[in-house]
Amino acid sequence: MRSEDLISSFGEIARSKDMDRDTLQIIVEDVFRAMLRKRYGSDEAFEIIFNPKQGDIQILHIQEVVGDWEVEDPVTEIKESEAKKIDDGFAVGDEVAGGLDVSEFGRRAVMTARQTFRQRIRDIEKEQVYQEYTELIGEIVVGEIYQVRRHETLLMHEDTELVLPRDEQIPGDHYRKGNMLRTVVKEVRRDAGSDPQVVVSRTSPVFMERLFEVEVPEVHDGIVEIKKVARIPGDRAKVAVESHDEKVDPVGACVGVKGVRINAVVRELSDENIDVMQWSDDPQELIARALSPAEPTNVSLNQDEDPPRARVEVPADEVSQAIGKRGVNIKLASQLTGYEIDVYREIPADEEDIDIEQFGDELTEETIGKLKRIGCDTGKAVLELSADALARRADLDRDTAKQVLEIIETEFEKGPGIIESIRQGRFTVESVQTAEAADTDGTTPSEASTESADSKGPGDADEEPPEAGAPAPDADGEETVVDGSAPNEPEQADGDSEAAEEGGDEEVEEQDEIPQSPSEEQQEAESTPEEPEVRS
């Protein structure tokens, strides 16, 4: 094969690959030098002259003239006698440049050269693809789907293969061969000896940012800045935006008139719900906005933990909104703010409740942790859920959820003990004894009442009325005790005045501060004289 034919075939390959002349010249020289090294063992004694415009190549073999018996390396040296055959003017020490024809290499060497040339072009293409798409990381590219596999989908973009892995696809998306698909370049992988692999994504938060840049001119021009994006692909997303112009409302600019702008983004993302909110540099305000539609009443931060935590209190009827279905809302809020958020139900001052940690002796730490993660930090917050809802939201099996509800219901049915009630200040203790209520024999009025009640038998109610001179019960059925008389023979006290019985000389001793109609609390105290009375 002539050198012209070989160079012509090289040129056709280069034009098909849209390669420039300088690159072609470098490749051709490298190919011929590889051929020379393979044949002669070295290419130091050769010079390659390539003219890409005319499409010809010339190989010069440069040798030094030495004596006929002094040749050590025939590649770099030539005998004086042979040099004189070329030109009689050559002498020892001169350099002789002789032309080398490509056909001298043989057909096999020429075919090898063509294969080497193609390989070099592929290597250069790989490098170009790597450099080109490395610069496009984070940018949107539109590719045509040409193959749908089980774990990935392949797209073609400008003769370059793009790979869309399964985990980078929006759940629920369906792809068909020949459809055009928008994606964002995520990364470019390159292994030794293999083609670079361009990985694209539709689940990356950057993809949503670029879509807003396409649909919202204010974002594209930098007037409105997207500070952060949190996504659960195919389900819901939160976008925090900030305006650098006081006259521009960042949220309104992103939503558009009647939601026309954000609807375009939603359609591209397979109807993913998007909440646009205004950014704030105050973490507490940012957390409150991120938990929308819930409206927290109090946000407290703990910066000492890693990651930092935030305690958020919301009204009881907004706990489910703050957490969201399957915990989506609180998860997105945590991603957006960078805080681990714990939602607690706001407890009114007049409402009695029990902290969920007080059930630590009956519930495991793991169960308590799961309940707190879904905002059930008190007993009543747990009782607001059914067993099925509690099992689903707290990731518990149904039997465990039923057991948790039974434990908490039992605790609320028992109620707090009397000591605990007194400690919390809901009751006061008052004594019903008086300093002057003791009888002459040392018996207190309450003791006398107890003795009188104990002396009656169960059938006393059906007995005949007492005879004349016997004591009569007062209006409340209680008897007044007379000093020195038996319990069943007291004289009736008429109000607080003295009463005398016919044929009797005994005086009725007045009792201090004994009302005519004792209240129910006093009756209860008299029936149990040794215990203090508890009043609500």
Side-chain angles (χ1 to χ4, degrees):
M1 178 181 288
R2 297 183 305 168
S3 62
E4 292 81 1
D5 296 336
L6 184 61
I7 296 303
S8 177
S9 65
F10 286 172
E12 291 178 1
I13 297 173
R15 283 190 294 273
S16 66
K17 300 297 184 181
D18 194 20
M19 188 173 297
D20 58 272
R21 291 180 178 179
D22 293 339
T23 304
L24 176 61
Q25 182 175 354
I26 294 173
I27 295 176
V28 169
E29 289 183 4
D30 290 344
V31 168
F32 278 98
R33 288 194 177 277
M35 294 171 60
L36 293 170
R37 286 193 297 270
K38 186 174 183 180
R39 181 175 181 180
Y40 298 101
S42 174
D43 62 344
E44 296 178 357
F46 300 90
E47 184 176 346
I48 299 174
I49 301 173
F50 175 62
N51 188 350
K53 292 183 179 180
Q54 298 179 359
D56 60 353
I57 187 170
Q58 184 179 8
I59 302 175
L60 299 178
H61 189 184
I62 302 174
Q63 295 173 299
E64 183 183 357
V65 179
V66 296
D68 291 348
W69 306 101
E70 298 177 359
V71 176
E72 296 180 358
D73 185 359
V75 176
T76 60
E77 297 174 345
I78 187 173
K79 294 179 181 180
E80 182 180 4
S81 59
E82 293 182 0
K84 288 184 178 295
K85 291 179 183 179
I86 300 173
D87 190 341
D88 292 338
F90 285 115
V92 176
D94 294 339
E95 289 185 348
V96 177
L100 189 64
D101 193 354
V102 175
S103 60
E104 297 180 9
F105 290 93
R107 183 176 180 84
R108 180 174 295 181
V110 172
M111 296 300 294
T112 303
R114 294 186 63 176
Q115 294 175 0
T116 305
F117 183 78
R118 291 178 181 274
Q119 182 62 41
R120 285 298 308 276
I121 290 179
R122 284 195 294 268
D123 293 341
I124 291 177
E125 285 180 335
K126 292 178 183 179
E127 185 64 26
Q128 289 176 345
V129 168
Y130 180 80
Q131 295 296 335
E132 177 184 356
Y133 284 92
T134 299
E135 295 175 358
L136 289 177
I137 290 179
E139 300 296 332
I140 287 181
V141 293
V142 181
E144 179 183 356
I145 301 173
Y146 80 92
Q147 191 172 3
V148 179
R149 299 177 179 175
R150 182 177 181 181
H151 299 293
E152 61 186 10
T153 299
L154 304 181
L155 298 86
M156 190 61 66
H157 175 258
E158 297 180 355
D159 297 329
T160 302
E161 183 182 273
L162 310 179
V163 180
L164 179 62
R166 172 66 67 180
D167 56 356
E168 298 295 339
Q169 300 174 14
I170 297 176
D173 274 359
H174 300 283
Y175 306 119
R176 291 184 179 180
K177 183 178 180 180
N179 290 352
M180 304 302 292
L181 189 65
R182 279 184 184 180
T183 58
V184 65
V185 180
K186 183 178 181 180
E187 62 175 330
V188 183
R189 303 169 183 169
R190 181 172 62 176
D191 298 330
S194 62
D195 296 341
Q197 188 179 52
V198 182
V199 180
V200 294
S201 172
R202 285 176 58 83
T203 61
S204 171
V206 179
F207 184 49
M208 181 175 288
E209 292 183 25
R210 297 297 173 262
L211 291 176
F212 271 101
E213 290 180 2
V214 173
E215 301 295 339
V216 183
E218 290 83 355
V219 176
H220 181 271
D221 297 337
I223 299 175
V224 175
E225 179 185 358
I226 298 178
K227 300 292 290 186
K228 199 166 185 181
V229 175
R231 288 184 66 189
I232 297 180
D235 190 352
R236 193 173 176 184
K238 289 182 180 288
V239 182
V241 295
E242 183 181 34
S243 176
H244 297 294
D245 189 343
E246 297 180 354
K247 300 179 181 179
V248 178
D249 176 21
V251 177
C254 293
V255 174
V257 179
K258 296 182 179 180
V260 63
R261 292 178 174 178
I262 197 170
N263 285 339
V265 180
V266 170
R267 286 193 299 270
E268 180 64 35
L269 298 176
S270 302
D271 297 331
E272 185 174 317
N273 295 323
I274 303 175
D275 298 335
V276 182
M277 51 171 283
Q278 189 167 357
W279 175 264
S280 175
D281 293 328
D282 182 6
Q284 292 179 319
E285 185 175 358
L286 181 63
I287 292 173
R289 292 176 181 175
L291 287 173
S292 176
E295 298 181 359
T297 57
N298 183 44
V299 179
S300 57
L301 306 179
N302 184 358
Q303 303 284 1
D304 297 334
E305 296 190 26
D306 185 25
R309 305 188 71 89
R311 177 189 173 95
V312 180
E313 296 181 4
V314 297
D317 57 347
E318 296 184 7
V319 172
S320 59
Q321 294 180 352
I323 296 173
K325 187 177 181 181
R326 300 186 304 275
V328 168
N329 195 56
I330 191 172
K331 182 178 181 180
L332 289 175
S334 297
Q335 293 179 8
L336 192 72
T337 61
Y339 283 79
E340 290 290 335
I341 300 176
D342 299 321
V343 175
Y344 292 86
R345 186 173 68 94
E346 184 183 30
I347 303 176
D350 57 346
E351 180 181 348
E352 297 179 6
D353 208 340
I354 303 176
D355 196 301
I356 195 64
E357 294 182 352
Q358 298 298 322
F359 297 92
D361 55 341
E362 299 181 63
L363 302 179
T364 64
E365 293 184 3
E366 181 182 1
T367 302
I368 293 176
K370 290 182 177 180
L371 295 176
K372 294 179 68 175
R373 278 197 294 272
I374 65 171
C376 295
D377 57 305
T378 64
K380 288 190 175 180
V382 177
L383 295 179
E384 292 176 358
L385 302 175
S386 64
D388 293 333
L390 183 63
R392 183 180 66 257
R393 291 176 55 182
D395 192 20
L396 300 171
D397 57 82
R398 196 174 187 281
D399 293 338
T400 303
K402 291 178 63 177
Q403 183 181 5
V404 170
L405 291 175
E406 291 174 359
I407 291 174
I408 297 177
E409 286 176 356
T410 303
E411 187 66 26
F412 275 98
E413 289 174 358
K414 292 191 304 183
I418 185 171
I419 302 301
E420 181 67 19
S421 301
I422 295 172
R423 184 182 296 111
Q424 295 178 1
R426 295 197 294 268
F427 297 92
T428 57
V429 179
E430 296 181 4
S431 176
V432 296
Q433 284 186 330
T434 58
E436 302 175 359
D439 292 328
T440 56
D441 57 356
T443 304
T444 62
S446 58
E447 292 175 348
S449 299
T450 303
E451 293 174 0
S452 175
D454 293 341
S455 63
K456 285 188 176 183
D460 290 346
D462 298 330
E463 293 177 357
E464 295 181 1
E467 298 179 357
D474 60 7
D476 291 332
E478 295 186 357
E479 297 176 345
T480 304
V481 180
V482 181
D483 187 23
S485 303
N488 58 350
E489 297 178 354
E491 296 203 10
Q492 181 180 3
D494 185 11
D496 55 351
S497 61
E498 297 180 355
E501 193 73 19
E502 291 183 2
D505 298 332
E506 298 174 343
E507 273 187 21
V508 178
E509 181 180 353
E510 293 184 23
Q511 299 185 11
D512 296 337
E513 299 182 359
I514 297 181
Q516 295 181 0
S517 301
S519 63
E520 296 179 357
E521 289 84 358
Q522 291 173 328
Q523 294 177 14
E524 182 180 357
E526 292 173 357
S527 62
T528 56
E530 295 182 357
E531 296 184 0
E533 180 184 6
V534 180
R535 289 187 178 179
S536 174

